[in-house]
Amino acid sequence: MSDGFRRIRGKIKLVKFDQKIFGVIDGDDGRDYFFIPSLMLHKQTYWRLEPGFTVEFMPLPTDHGFRASEITVLWTVTGTHANGEEKRVEQ
């Protein structure tokens, strides 16, 4: 992007499936980022989101706080990569 923002990582903090569907990401930069399903790169993955999933996204400041856009799931809570691979932990 020309405004100097770069993709960052974070963890899903909250996902709500009530009358309005939305979620919150706890960014690695310490900020909370609001998101809705239409901001996911792969919209079909939204229904599988759970708190603790690691995601990567484009941070966008708004008049009401921060929003996450172009969200991609990297790791699930169980340590499985979004493409099905098991996460390798280096010691």
Side-chain angles (χ1 to χ4, degrees), residues 2 15 19 22 39-40 42 44 51-52 61-62 73 76-79 88-89:
S2 60
V15 181
Q19 291 175 346
F22 68 93
L39 300 174
M40 302 280 302
H42 305 284
Q44 69 275 16
T62 70
V73 176
T76 64
V77 177
T78 60
R88 293 181 181 86
V89 178

Side-chain angles (χ1 to χ4, degrees), residues 1-8 29 31 33 57-62 65-67 70:
M1 291 181 79
S2 60
D3 56 13
F5 289 101
R6 62 176 176 74
R7 294 180 68 78
I8 64 172
D29 61 358
R31 294 184 174 127
Y33 293 86
F57 59 96
M58 184 65 69
L60 300 173
T62 70
F66 293 91
R67 183 177 74 189
E70 302 175 24

